[in-house]
Amino acid sequence: MAWFRKKQEELTVDQLPKELIPKHIGFIMDGNGRWAKKRGMPRRMGHVTGAQTFRKIVKACEARGIRSATFYAFSTENWKRPQDEVDAIMNLLREYLKESLSDFKSENIRTKFIGDRTPLAPDILALIEEAEAETAHKTGLTLNIALNYGGRHELVGAMRVLAERVKAGEMAAEDIDEQCISDTLDTAGQPDPDLIIRPSGEYRTSNFLLWQSAYAEYVFMDVLWPDFSEEHLDKAILQYAKRNRRFGGV
Ligand code: FPP
């Protein structure tokens, strides 16, 4: 392994040994608004191009053998944005889901949504349920789309579920451990993210996968999401492969 670490500088992602490829990557798709503003366009155009980038990066993750990828599409705080911007993002999702439903047969992607579905429009909810049901048996990339997602909100939900179980006598308070909390989150059954990529030059987690990211490696990149490319993805994976992950040990 030592020779390998030395040589990593010169390696490309397809030459990395499997154990250095992250199993789960999180993407904070940031910078769409700034990208549009720089071009004198309305903010929603940034999201339109951002959605194209999303499709391209999903395919790139699959091609690189990544097991799970989670994309932060809409946070529990994003409802505060102007209504036309919220509508534009929801319409992009509608469009994506409608198109994907016809592509699902040829792809090996399992699509899942994380986040609170309660306030979503009924037609979006139906499309989400259809997408999840149609792809539940797929064995390739697990694609999580975080929609109306917030890490704190997710944890509050999990705490309530566990409290109800204790109240109903199904478990004791002492039985609550890290595993049962993980199992009660929207990402239950999936590996925690190894790598979280945030483009756009901001250095924040923004309530993304708070519990799951305890030992994630972060790569912050100075590129706006609509300009994010396969090359940026590879650069982030290579940076990750060079990190010395100790998980609190030495
Ligand atoms: C953050 O950039 C981006 C969002 C809140 C929305 C991201 C949504 C998409 C890329 C489209 C989703 C569609 C599919 C199909 C998943 P920002 O607007 O906060 O950028 P700024 O910081 O430059 O203003």
Side-chain angles (χ1 to χ4, degrees):
M1 208 65 179
W3 67 270
F4 192 77
R5 292 236 170 249
K6 247 198 225 157
K7 288 194 98 184
Q8 271 177 14
E9 290 288 328
E10 307 125 49
L11 289 175
T12 56
V13 168
D14 54 350
Q15 294 168 326
L16 283 176
K18 222 173 154 222
E19 65 270 20
L20 290 182
I21 299 273
K23 286 190 188 61
H24 182 173
I25 307 183
F27 294 89
I28 302 181
M29 304 191 280
D30 194 19
N32 295 347
R34 276 165 284 167
W35 184 91
K37 200 173 164 206
K38 263 173 59 181
R39 287 162 178 76
M41 296 172 172
R43 289 177 57 83
R44 75 185 144 73
M45 289 311 293
H47 300 310
V48 169
T49 313
Q52 288 163 6
T53 303
F54 157 81
R55 290 166 193 240
K56 180 176 72 187
I57 299 302
V58 170
K59 287 204 165 75
C61 286
E62 202 196 10
R64 284 155 185 73
I66 310 295
R67 300 301 306 148
S68 300
T70 302
F71 291 81
Y72 207 0
F74 195 85
S75 77
T76 42
E77 289 72 38
N78 286 153
W79 299 103
K80 291 182 225 152
R81 294 187 175 214
Q83 193 57 44
D84 66 328
E85 186 172 340
V86 171
D87 291 346
I89 296 173
M90 294 299 162
N91 280 334
L92 285 165
L93 266 155
R94 265 191 193 95
E95 223 173 83
Y96 169 72
L97 284 167
K98 281 183 190 158
E99 280 174 35
S100 302
L101 283 170
S102 52
D103 292 344
F104 283 153
K105 283 189 182 61
S106 58
E107 284 172 348
N108 196 19
I109 298 177
R110 184 164 70 120
T111 302
K112 285 179 78 77
F113 278 78
I114 62 169
D116 180 0
R117 301 176 185 196
T118 329
L120 299 179
D123 69 310
I124 293 197
L125 199 55
L127 285 167
I128 286 175
E129 283 168 2
E130 197 178 347
E132 289 185 335
E134 289 279 328
T135 64
H137 62 287
K138 303 279 182 171
T139 55
L141 174 78
T142 296
L143 163 65
N144 297 303
I145 300 178
L147 183 62
N148 191 30
Y149 176 85
R152 287 185 170 189
H153 188 77
E154 182 188 35
L155 279 164
V156 168
M159 298 308 138
R160 286 186 182 153
V161 168
L162 294 173
E164 287 295 341
R165 283 188 200 148
V166 172
K167 201 164 91 182
E170 293 166 19
M171 68 189 293
E174 308 83 81
D175 296 335
I176 297 176
D177 59 10
E178 294 191 9
Q179 189 59 49
C180 91
I181 293 176
S182 293
D183 292 345
T184 315
L185 299 176
D186 296 352
T187 47
Q190 297 192 49
D192 283 341
D194 305 296
L195 167 63
I196 294 184
I197 303 173
R198 180 165 195 156
S200 97
E202 306 286 357
Y203 302 90
R204 288 190 288 278
T205 64
S206 297
N207 208 6
F208 184 53
L209 300 177
L210 286 186
W211 174 270
Q212 300 90 332
S213 64
Y215 289 103
E217 297 291 331
Y218 278 84
V219 172
F220 296 100
M221 303 182 104
D222 212 359
V223 55
L224 302 173
W225 176 254
D227 291 328
F228 191 88
S229 63
E230 286 98 336
E231 288 73 30
H232 291 105
L233 174 63
D234 286 345
K235 221 167 146 183
I237 295 175
L238 288 169
Q239 266 193 49
Y240 164 84
K242 272 189 243 160
R243 304 258 177 102
N244 179 13
R245 302 183 82 196
R246 292 194 298 273
F247 300 96
V250 287

